[in-house]
């Protein structure tokens, strides 16, 4: 459900019910007998499995728990020529919202986890169990430890997509609770989840030192053996779970992990700290940086009394490195051992959730006077270095800056509405004279036409600025899902795009450049169209009503060039049917069908036989 | 001003050390260094190899051959010549061709006022020799289209930089307008390569981001060429390079002498020499007197400098700030003297291993009770620490200022260009108003004559106001461009070139009309030679440069200008006449016709007629190819009137016979 992104300072502290649910999830994920039984259960059924647990307290809910996998193959898939980080585009049929709306670039995710999730969907009772829970009006919860948490995240997003598409958004939000889950999605993944307002339902619990969330930041393909060694150490099936059984490759891998995490944290910090050095762009072609970024709401479990809650994923990424930064005397080996063992220390969550205190750490850092005193705000027993504090405040400030940019853009709303109002008046006054404003504008005979052109240019300036800011990611992630802007954009597109088309064909730009639709359509219309389609969950490319005239112009030009009607019949019929539908839904104005409209004049030249059977025959004779 | 700067600082963050951390934590530097050591041991002068499954090629260059060839001269005291700058475009035609885009601008009269692009003689000579070898040509063919890292240590780095420049030159000439190919040049402790003109040319081509010069804190070699030409201790540079060479091979004549003389050089004296001259260059820059030529070193840095200490690295890319930082890092003795100069010059292998390890450790303020400082200052302190400057050192405060200056300078161009884009959007309605005015008179006399005769005074004054407003806007753009406050490739960005061209085609006729209305053409000479605003001349050049480098493509909204598609026939007249000076020519033609009418002298008449015929040919061609707008052919336009006058003239007997004779 698209909501206005919550102000950053209100990092949600957990409600009573949520706390109970988290504890419940922890109890499910870490059964009290010992990790061995949980793993044994997982081992008895292959990696594609899950458990459902129904509960009635605090409210009726069905919790789906996904077990972790300790096989490297389940983390990075086969060697089949995958990119070094094992990522792939998400399946648009499964996750239609996971993309950048305006540019249409799909999100990327860990291909192995995605494949595991697909296997669950196709080969298990997951779908039917979820449907049953929904039918019984139970709240659906997904949970998991380690890679099970990543699968749970995908499942939660899949479920959210289904709910919103069915329109049943009012049902209680599903809930996703992960413990020490590895990162799964890229920047666009994170952007899309934020935009759709889903990040508050995806709760990640992390121990600050846990190595696992960072594993995807290393080039998976090149460290297969090392990662298997780490997973072997975690696996309860490996004899004794003891340091002696630890492979010698682990310290080396741990250093690689630290270095990779530092690279990515520094790279992202460069961008939100406003680095202008031109070498930054060159370096990205030569340094392989992991695409994965944090996504959702993070809870750093600093002690059994304190949770640090972060919704700012830039800040989370910084913490992923700076929590691991070594103390000068610390041995790499010890650090690695602590980091590994942290992955099995989530069990206390079962007991401590009731009284735990949620801290808005980023708020504390960025609100106090900058300087020394904040250094004392430690994360549990970990004291952060000076750079860490700086990077965190920069991340907080960048988020605020994006919010401020949005406020500034909101101020132009009024101006846009005024200009649209005056263009609407123009359109109406032309209609009263029996002329389509499209034709009148294309002729540019009267002073009204000129004024309309000035309005058009003013509006173009305002909207181009918005689109530019979106492309530079200077607006909050939720901007493109804000209803007021999406509907304003649709209004703007339907009213003004015909004028741009008129201008394009008036100056015969199609002769220089190509058709309007393929070459001349400005981004401001492409973007606003996609916003509308995303918000309405309509198929991509279904709302081309504002380009009606461009199609007409192209057909006219081709017929003038001597193409036979027979060749164009299909396209004409499609246009007629589309126009009919658009007219009925109110997205295409009646000016198009006015007796003197150039469209009608052209349409009348079509063969009689075709016209009489046409779907718009009645409209034209109106 | 200070308040504004302070407020700006409150929201800024220093990033030079963050970028340094990115570079140091990645495997890039270590891989490049491996290639450098391999090259030093190789006989060929360079080695190459692939990394990351064949996606990237690393090419390492050795400076040993260069050092050997210069050893004799260095011993004989002729070092000044070896390290003197030589012009790229001048003497050696081959060199000019190999670096064509860099020297191309020198034919441009505006740029030629400055010094020509020049590079260090020894590096160029070695690179040219290398280029002549078939092995190297084969390598160039092999790596084309791939992501390439050129790298080298010491003199090898200078050769690597030339190779990278050459590679960028040939890649950009095969596909203009494409973004620079993924090319990176990593030098380790290399002497400076070129003069200020080279540095500027690289910025203009937007190649600054392709060069990464790693310099350790105590290394003398990257700083030695700041000495004035006659004071360069050539034997040190050569000797330092030879020092990298396995000891057993060093036992030959001149080589031994160089090594011995280097060993004799007093360490502290050398240190002082460098400190004095680098300091002098740094000082000179601060005083900023560009037209005052001093006898100092001609060499200037380009690209990004990575100032390294075991603590980390700071990346600086503003050329002035680089000089300052090269001085400050060297002068600040934060750590007890770092051993011999030889050790400081060959420490890079160890450095690339140590830096990342240090970055994984938590560093804290040395002074724990430091007062609360703003985020930005805190960041600058970290950057200083990373580059090895002690916060307490004398140089720290100047270095601090220069890092800040560099940061601000880096932000300004993109901020300005974003602001201008908004302003451009805001004045577009002025342009629309003039378009409307033009359309109003298209059928009657054309907007040129209407404006010249001040028809319908209210409309005239409105349009005139818009004309002035637009002119002021574009003059402001040019002032900023001249002051270097806009991105270096601003005049090559399609958006701006097209917007400027559209403005020019629409508005210059009005300026011409104004000029002739006031009769300035009689008092101050013809418009074309005396009346044209500088902006129009510049826009003409931008447009021509764009045309000769191929169509820009991309930006659709501004491809309203049909001229780019001149190969295609137009089906109707252009929206705007494609020759911005069309009306000035018409005015000249009319004047010529008038004077021909009264001309009695046969020879004079013949000359005038010939010129008129030339005009006629030119106009006819434009009209026939529909490169003019309809207003030109309006029934009462100056052009239509001229055609009539000219036809009248041609009817006269003596004219007709004369024309037949041509």
């Amino acid at each position: 459900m698209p909501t206005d992104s919550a102000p950053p300072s209100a990092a949600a502290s957990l409600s009573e019910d949520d706390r109970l649910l988290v504890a419940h999830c922890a109890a499910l994920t870490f059964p009290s007998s010992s990790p061995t039984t949980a793993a044994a259960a997982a081992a008895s059924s292959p990696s594609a499995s899950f458990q459902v647990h129904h509960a009635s307290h605090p409210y009726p809910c069905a919790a789906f728990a996904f077990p972790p996998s300790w096989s490297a193959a389940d983390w990075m898939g086969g060697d089949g020529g995958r990119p070094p980080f094992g990522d792939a585009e998400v399946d648009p049929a499964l996750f239609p919202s996971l993309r950048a709306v305006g540019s249409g670039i799909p999100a990327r995710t860990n291909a192995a986890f995605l494949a595991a999730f697909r296997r669950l969907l196709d080969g298990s009772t997951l779908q039917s169990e979820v449907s049953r829970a929904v039918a019984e009006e139970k709240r659906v919860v997904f949970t998991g430890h380690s890679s099970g948490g990543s699968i749970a995240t995908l499942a939660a997003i899949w479920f959210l997509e289904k709910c919103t598409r069915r329109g049943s958004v009012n049902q209680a939000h599903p809930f996703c609770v992960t413990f020490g889950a590895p990162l799964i999605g890229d920047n666009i993944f994170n952007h899309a989840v934020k935009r759709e307002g889903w990040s508050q339902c995806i709760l990640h619990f992390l121990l600050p030192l846990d190595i696992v969330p960072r594993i995807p930041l290393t080039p998976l393909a090149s460290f297969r053996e090392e990662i298997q060694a780490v997973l072997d150490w975690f696996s309860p099936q490996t004899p004794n779970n003891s340091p002696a059984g630890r492979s010698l490759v682990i310290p080396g891998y741990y250093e690689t992990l630290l270095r990779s995490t530092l690279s990515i944290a520094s790279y992202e910090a460069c961008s939100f700290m406003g680095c202008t050095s031109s070498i930054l762009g060159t370096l990205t072609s030569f340094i392989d940086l992991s695409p994965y970024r944090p996504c959702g709401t993070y809870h750093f479990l600093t002690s059994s009394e304190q949770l640090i809650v972060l919704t700012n994923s830039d800040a989370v990424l910084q913490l992923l490195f700076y929590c691991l930064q070594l103390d000068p005397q610390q041995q790499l080996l010890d650090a690695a051992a602590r980091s590994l063992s942290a992955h099995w220390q989530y069990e206390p969550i079962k007991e401590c959730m009731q009284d735990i205190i949620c801290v808005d750490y980023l708020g504390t850092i960025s609100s106090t006077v900058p300087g020394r005193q904040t250094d004392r705000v430690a994360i549990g027993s970990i004291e952060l270095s000076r750079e860490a504090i700086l990077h965190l405040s920069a991340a907080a400030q960048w988020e605020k800056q994006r919010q401020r940019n949005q406020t500034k853009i909101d101020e132009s709303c009024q101006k846009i509405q005024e200009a649209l109002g005056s263009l609407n008046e123009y359109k109406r006054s032309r209609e009263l004279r029996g002329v389509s404003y499209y034709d009148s504008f294309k002729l540019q005979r009267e002073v009204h036409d000129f004024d309309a052109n000035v309005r058009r240019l003013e509006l173009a300036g305002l909207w181009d600025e918005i689109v530019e800011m979106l492309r530079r990611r200077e607006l909050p992630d939720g901007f493109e899902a804000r209803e007021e802007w999406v509907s304003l954009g649709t209004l703007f597109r339907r009213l003004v795009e015909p004028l741009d088309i008129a201008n394009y064909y008036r100056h015969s730009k199609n002769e220089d450049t190509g058709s309007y639709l393929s070459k001349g359509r400005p981004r401001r219309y492409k973007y606003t169209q996609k916003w509308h389609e995303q918000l309405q969950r309509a198929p991509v490319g279904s709302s081309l009503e504002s380009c009606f005239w461009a199609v007409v112009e192209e057909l006219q030009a081709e017929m003038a060039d001597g193409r036979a009607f027979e060749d164009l019949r299909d396209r004409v019929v499609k246009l007629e049917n589309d126009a009919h539908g658009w007219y009925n839904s109110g997205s295409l104005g009646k000016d198009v069908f006015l007796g003197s409209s150039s469209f009608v004049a052209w349409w009348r030249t079509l063969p009689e036989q075709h016209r009489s059977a046409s779907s718009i025959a009645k409209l034209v004779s109106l | 001003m200070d308040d504004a700067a302070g407020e700006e600082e409150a929201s800024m963050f220093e990033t030079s050390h963050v970028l340094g951390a990115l570079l140091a934590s990645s495997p890039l530097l270590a891989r490049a260094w491996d290639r450098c050591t391999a090259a030093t041991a190789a006989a060929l002068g360079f080695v190459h190899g692939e990394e990351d499954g064949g996606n990237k090629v690393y090419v390492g260059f050795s400076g040993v051959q260069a050092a050997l060839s210069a050893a004799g001269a260095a011993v004989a005291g002729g070092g000044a010549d070896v390290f003197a700058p030589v012009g790229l475009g001048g003497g050696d035609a081959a060199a000019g061709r190999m670096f064509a885009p860099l020297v191309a601008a020198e034919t441009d009269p505006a740029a030629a006022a400055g010094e020509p692009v020049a590079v260090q003689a020894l590096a160029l000579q070695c690179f040219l020799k290398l280029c002549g070898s078939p092995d190297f040509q084969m390598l160039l063919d092999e790596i084309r289209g791939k992501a390439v890292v050129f790298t080298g240590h010491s003199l090898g780095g200078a050769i690597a930089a030339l190779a990278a420049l050459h590679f960028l030159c040939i890649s950009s000439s095969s596909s203009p307008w494409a973004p620079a190919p993924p090319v990176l040049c990593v030098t380790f402790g290399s002497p400076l390569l070129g003069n200020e003109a080279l540095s500027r040319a690289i910025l203009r081509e937007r190649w600054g981001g392709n060069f990464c010069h790693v310099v350790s804190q105590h290394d003398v070699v990257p700083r030695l060429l700041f000495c004035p030409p006659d004071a360069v201790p050539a034997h040190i540079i050569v000797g330092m390079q030879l020092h990298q060479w396995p000891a057993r091979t060093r036992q030959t004549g001149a080589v031994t002498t160089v090594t011995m003389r280097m060993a004799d050089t007093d360490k502290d004296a050398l240190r002082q020499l460098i400190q004095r001259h680098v300091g002098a260059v740094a000082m000179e820059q601060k005083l900023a007197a560009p037209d005052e030529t001093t006898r100092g070193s001609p060499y200037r840095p380009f690209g990004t400098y990575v100032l390294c200490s075991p603590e980390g690295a700071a990346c600086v890319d503003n050329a002035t700030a680089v000089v300052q930082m090269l001085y400050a890092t060297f002068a600040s003795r934060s750590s007890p003297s770092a051993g011999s100069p030889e050790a400081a010059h060959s420490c890079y292998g160890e450095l690339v291993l140590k830096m990342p390890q240090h970055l994984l450790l938590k560093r804290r303020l040395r002074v724990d009770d430091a007062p609360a400082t703003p985020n930005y200052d805190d960041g600058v302190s970290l950057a200083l620490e990373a580059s090895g400057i002690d916060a307490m050192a004398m140089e720290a405060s100047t270095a601090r200022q220069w890092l800040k200056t560099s940061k601000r300078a880096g932000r300004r161009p993109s901020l300005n260009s974003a602001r201008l884009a908004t302003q451009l959007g805001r004045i577009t309605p002025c342009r629309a108003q003039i378009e409307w005015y033009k359309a109003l008179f298209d059928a009657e006399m054309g907007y040129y004559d209407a404006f010249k005769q001040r028809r319908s005074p209210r409309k005239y004054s409105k349009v005139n106001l818009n004309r002035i407003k637009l002119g002021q806007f574009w003059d402001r753009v040019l002032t900023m461009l001249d002051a270097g406050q806009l991105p270096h490739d601003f005049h090559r960005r399609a958006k701006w070139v097209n917007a400027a061209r559209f403005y020019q085609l629409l508005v210059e006729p009005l300026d011409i009309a104004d000029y002739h209305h006031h009769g300035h053409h009689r008092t101050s000479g013809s418009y074309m030679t005396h009346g044209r605003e500088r902006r129009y001349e510049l826009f003409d050049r931008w447009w021509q440069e764009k045309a000769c480098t191929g169509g820009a493509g991309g930006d659709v909204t501004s491809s309203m200008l049909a001229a780019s598609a001149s190969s295609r026939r137009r089906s109707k007249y252009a929206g705007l006449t494609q020759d911005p000076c069309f009306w000035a020519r018409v005015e000249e033609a009319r004047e010529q016709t008038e004077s021909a009418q009264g001309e009695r002298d046969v020879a004079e008449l013949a000359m005038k007629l010939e010129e008129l015929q030339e005009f006629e040919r030119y106009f006819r061609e434009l009209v026939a190819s529909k490169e003019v707008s309809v207003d030109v052919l309006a029934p009462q336009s100056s052009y239509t009137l001229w055609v009539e006058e000219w036809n009248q003239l041609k009817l006269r007997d003596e004219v007709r016979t004369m024309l037949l004779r041509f």
Side-chain angles (χ1 to χ4, degrees), chain B residues 202 265 277 326 380 386 421 429 494 513 527 576 610:
Chain B
I202 287 172
T265 313
H277 290 299
L326 281 174
V380 175
Y527 174 81
L576 291 169
E610 200 168 347

Side-chain angles (χ1 to χ4, degrees), chain A residues 563-583:
Chain A
R563 290 278 296 274
F565 172 71
E566 297 310 316
D567 298 345
L568 302 172
R569 182 199 296 277
D570 290 348
R571 283 160 62 197
V572 174
V573 169
K574 180 171 187 306
L575 176 71
E576 288 171 347
N577 291 341
D578 283 348
H580 189 245
W582 290 330
Y583 179 75

Side-chain angles (χ1 to χ4, degrees), chain B residues 596 598-608 658:
Chain B
E599 187 59 64
R600 293 280 163 263
D601 184 289
V602 181
E604 283 284 307
L605 183 63
M607 225 163 68
K608 281 174 181 162
M658 216 175 262

Side-chain angles (χ1 to χ4, degrees), chain A residues 510-511 552-565 568 602 605-606, chain B residues 571:
Chain A
N510 54 327
E511 291 185 4
V552 174
E553 289 280 359
E554 284 304 314
L555 285 171
Q556 280 180 350
E558 285 185 45
M559 284 179 76
D561 254 8
R563 290 278 296 274
F565 172 71
L568 302 172
W602 166 76
T605 64
L606 301 181
Chain B
S571 72

Side-chain angles (χ1 to χ4, degrees), chain A residues 272-288:
Chain A
F272 65 71
M273 289 168 114
C275 173
T276 53
S277 182
S278 49
I279 203 166
L280 186 59
T282 316
L283 287 181
T284 50
S285 328
F286 292 95
I287 302 175
D288 287 326

Side-chain angles (χ1 to χ4, degrees), chain A residues 255 258-260 262-267 269-270 272-280 282-283 285-289 321-330 332 369-373 375-376 382-387 389-391 393-395 397 401 404 444-450 453-454 457-458 461 464-465 472 503-514 519-522 524, chain B residues 10-15 17-19 21-28 31 52 56-58 147-149 182-184 208-212 304 315 317 352-353 356-357 359-376 378-379 381-382 385 406-407 410-411 414 418 422 425 428-429 431-436 439 556-557 559-562 565 568-572 575:
Chain A
E255 196 186 340
L258 288 182
R259 281 180 68 163
S260 308
L262 172 59
S263 293
I264 290 152
S266 304
Y267 173 70
C270 277
F272 65 71
M273 289 168 114
C275 173
T276 53
S277 182
S278 49
I279 203 166
L280 186 59
T282 316
L283 287 181
S285 328
F286 292 95
I287 302 175
D288 287 326
L289 290 172
F321 172 72
Y322 285 106
C323 284
L324 294 191
Q325 214 176 13
L326 306 166
D327 281 319
Q329 297 82 19
Q330 202 174 16
L332 201 61
V369 183
R372 304 285 305 148
Q373 59 270 55
D375 286 23
R376 303 286 172 244
I382 302 162
E383 211 179 332
L384 292 177
S385 64
R386 254 163 85 211
E387 328 61 304
I389 305 290
L390 267 181
H391 289 204
S393 10
Q397 192 170 312
Q401 181 60 48
R404 274 200 295 274
Q444 287 280 326
R445 286 242 172 87
E446 290 178 53
V447 74
H448 297 289
D449 304 322
F450 165 71
N453 196 22
V454 173
L457 290 168
E458 283 170 3
D464 284 348
E465 195 184 332
R472 292 194 301 256
N503 192 55
Y504 194 82
Y505 287 96
R506 170 179 146 76
H507 290 120
S508 309
K509 287 186 207 165
N510 54 327
E511 291 185 4
D512 299 333
T513 320
K519 289 274 157 42
R521 196 173 186 211
R524 52 182 181 271
Chain B
S11 63
M12 285 198 313
F13 288 91
E14 179 60 33
T15 52
H17 61 292
V18 185
L19 192 53
L22 169 61
L23 197 59
S25 61
S26 77
L28 180 75
R31 281 184 195 159
D52 290 329
K56 293 160 199 123
V57 187
Y58 282 68
V148 192
V149 179
V183 170
L184 183 65
N210 300 76
F211 292 86
C212 168
T304 301
C315 297
D317 62 357
V352 296
L353 290 180
Q357 284 169 358
L359 286 168
L360 299 181
L361 300 179
K362 282 177 201 165
R363 282 168 294 160
R364 304 193 178 283
L365 262 185
R366 302 243 170 92
V367 194
D368 270 334
D369 302 318
T373 46
N375 285 332
Y376 183 48
D378 235 12
S381 304
L382 287 173
E385 219 171 279
S406 172
K407 173 89 184 173
R411 279 157 54 95
S414 55
T422 323
T428 309
R431 208 187 66 193
Q433 213 128 39
I434 301 182
E435 278 180 78
W436 169 250
V556 185
T557 46
S559 59
M560 46 184 63
L561 301 169
R568 224 169 313 155
R569 287 316 260 190
R570 289 169 190 274
S571 72
K572 57 184 186 189

